[in-house]
Every structure is written in structure tokens, then in C-alpha cells.
Amino acid sequence: MQNQLLTPALISELVTQALNEDLNFQSAADGDITAQLIPETQQADAYVITREDCVFCGKELILEVFKQVDASVEVDVLVNDGDFVAANSQLFTAKGSARAILTAERTALNFVQTLSGTATTTAHYVKALANSNTQLLDTRKTVPGLRALQKYAVACGGGRNHRIGLFDAFLIKENHIAACGGIAAAVKQAKLNHPAKPVEVEVESLDELKQAIEAGSDIIMLDNFSVEQIQQAVEVTNKRAKLEVSGNMTIEILAEYAQAGVDYISSGALTKNVQSIDLSMRFNTDSV
């Protein structure tokens, strides 16, 4: 899985921040008072399993956590980002200082359980769209500071990233339209300001849809439209713009909406309603 959103520098920064939460900005040796109960020379051989089926995500985070805690610990990640992993399968192993392994454990697992949860949910949504030409999009409803990670996890699950932030594409919503003086005025100004940026307009009725088409919108978001309204919207649009459906897109209704013929379905639930994957670290008893 190619990582286009996460740079090594960002991964390092996020891991440092996470470790500081546990270690109070101290070194691993000084900050983990429970690990200090273990003899400094004690070695261990550990492995981590998933207790449930999942789509794995977080390989580089695991490696960076152990690198920052103790680079001498030998870590072997046994799966790749985007791989389906069955319950009770091993994800990675760690061999070296028992103190270091225990200090790094929770930080590494926190990243993996969250990202794999997002990737797994996304994969379920993508499967529901398998018999259509509709693509699944994420949204900006992400945990502050973790957007790059969560959007990467969506990609690992087979979804497609919508705009990354407020800078790379226009999404003109109700309040933007009101403040600009209408759909036509908002779209015109957007194209004047940034001609190369895609312009998307959110509409709430077929009348607004027609205005957005006439204004030259690239993408039109149909907000909380019924299936019947979406079918009408597809006919009215007649491929003059891409159509996206948004608003309470649960996995149970995805296929029905996709069959109406829209290009995209976006769901904030992929990154907002995160159900973490249950993981567990175990020590090989003959290694301690």
C-alpha cells in the first residue's frame, strides 16, 4: 500500500506526541515506572494478535514506536497495510528488552487498533458497493491531528479520499451560498479564485441542482435526497457533472443508493464512528 499522505517526518512527530502522553516527556527508561520493576537486563520475545477479523493498517507506526522507545528491539511486522487478517492471527513480533517492549506496547496498539478499525469499516462499505460503479469517499470528520492517518486507513480499506482539507478543493455549502449571494455567484468566484481546483456544490433540492449544473459545478453533492429524488437528479444531470450522495449513509442502504447511478457516496462514519479492533500482546513464556 503506497503511503501518499504520511511522510516519515509526520509519522515520527505523531509517534513522539503519543509517547509523550505516556512518558510525560521523559525517556522510556525514566517515564515508565511500572516497567522499572523488571530487571534492566531482562529479555523477552513477544507477539501481537488480532482477536477479530480485520483489514490491517499501521505498519510504519509500529516500527516507529519501537524505534523511538528502543531501537535495539527487533520488530517483525508479519502483514502489510491493506491485508485482510483473520482473527487470532499474529500481526507482529518483538524481541529484545522486556522493559522496552512493554513500554512501547500500548502506544503501538493504540495506533493499529484505531487505523485497522477504520480500514476494516471502510472495507465493509466498499464490499456493499461491489456491484456498482459508485466510489466510496471519506470526509473531513476526523480526529483532530490524526487526519492523515485516518485518511490513509480509508485508502487501505479500499475507499477514496475526498478533499484533504480546506485548501485542495471547493465544497460550497448552504452558508457559503447564502454569504456569496447564490449558487451561480459562489461557483463563478471559485473558478476565478482558483481555476484549477475542483468545485463541488452541496444542494438540497432539484431546483438547486439545476442551478449548480448551469453554474458549471464539477461535482454536486445531493444532501439527504431520497432514492427517488436521486434517480430524478441523475436524469436531470445527464452526466453534465459528477454526483455525490451524502447524509446518513449507513452500510445497510449503500447498495440501494448506488444503484440509482451516482458517482460517489461519502460517509463521515468511516472516520467519525471508529470501532477499534481488539488486539492483544502475549509473551512467549520460555523467553522471560
Side-chain angles (χ1 to χ4, degrees):
M1 176 65 64
Q2 186 177 4
N3 188 333
Q4 297 179 336
L5 292 174
L6 297 179
T7 64
L10 180 57
I11 291 173
S12 177
E13 177 185 339
L14 292 172
V15 168
T16 298
Q17 180 180 346
L19 287 171
N20 283 337
E21 290 176 340
D22 268 334
L23 301 172
N24 194 30
F25 298 88
Q26 302 175 84
S27 67
D30 296 327
D32 187 348
I33 61 174
T34 309
Q36 292 171 12
L37 302 175
I38 303 167
E40 187 175 1
T41 57
Q42 181 70 57
Q43 299 291 293
D45 184 358
Y47 61 93
V48 169
I49 66 166
T50 174
R51 294 182 179 272
E52 54 189 308
D53 293 351
C54 71
V55 174
F56 174 78
C57 182
K59 180 175 181 176
E60 295 302 322
L61 281 301
I62 294 169
L63 296 174
E64 182 64 23
V65 169
F66 279 91
K67 175 184 174 182
Q68 291 195 24
V69 171
D70 185 344
S72 71
V73 175
E74 298 176 16
V75 180
D76 185 11
V77 183
L78 306 175
V79 293
N80 292 313
D81 289 348
D83 285 353
F84 171 80
V85 185
N88 299 313
S89 298
Q90 288 191 20
L91 299 179
F92 69 92
T93 62
K95 185 175 182 180
S97 164
R99 284 188 178 186
I101 291 172
L102 290 170
T103 297
E105 173 190 1
R106 178 43 52 196
T107 302
L109 267 57
N110 281 348
F111 280 121
V112 174
Q113 70 186 21
T114 303
L115 300 182
S116 297
T118 293
T120 303
T121 298
T122 301
H124 289 318
Y125 275 61
V126 169
K127 184 177 180 180
L129 295 173
N131 296 319
S132 74
N133 294 319
T134 303
Q135 292 185 302
L136 178 69
L137 303 179
D138 56 19
T139 71
R140 287 174 50 241
K141 296 176 181 177
T142 54
V143 178
L146 299 183
R147 179 171 297 166
L149 290 181
Q150 288 190 284
K151 282 185 171 284
Y152 174 63
V154 166
C156 287
R160 175 174 167 178
N161 296 143
H162 205 288
R163 57 180 184 158
I164 302 304
L166 298 172
F167 58 90
D168 55 332
F170 289 97
L171 180 49
I172 302 171
K173 296 191 174 187
E174 178 184 7
N175 291 330
H176 299 103
I177 293 168
C180 289
I183 291 175
V187 173
K188 180 180 180 180
Q189 192 62 52
K191 289 181 176 293
L192 285 173
N193 287 358
H194 296 282
K197 303 285 187 183
V199 178
E200 180 169 3
V201 178
E202 180 183 77
V203 302
E204 298 179 351
S205 68
L206 290 174
D207 180 61
E208 289 186 348
L209 170 67
K210 293 174 184 176
Q211 293 179 49
I213 295 170
E214 292 171 2
S217 305
D218 300 303
I219 307 170
I220 301 172
M221 179 188 291
L222 310 175
D223 186 40
N224 288 307
F225 274 45
S226 67
V227 174
E228 292 74 21
Q229 289 174 317
I230 291 171
Q231 290 171 337
Q232 293 175 14
V234 171
E235 293 179 6
V236 168
T237 305
N238 193 26
K239 301 186 182 300
R240 286 179 288 173
K242 298 288 188 181
L243 291 179
E244 174 186 339
V245 176
S246 180
N248 301 311
M249 288 292 107
T250 62
I251 193 168
E252 292 79 13
I253 64 173
L254 285 182
E256 182 180 11
Y257 277 75
Q259 290 305 317
V262 296
D263 300 283
Y264 310 113
I265 290 178
S266 59
S267 175
L270 303 178
T271 52
K272 181 168 66 75
N273 304 337
V274 180
Q275 180 64 50
S276 295
I277 300 299
D278 189 10
L279 308 177
S280 178
M281 174 177 277
R282 298 174 181 174
F283 272 32
N284 290 312
T285 55
D286 59 353
S287 69
V288 293

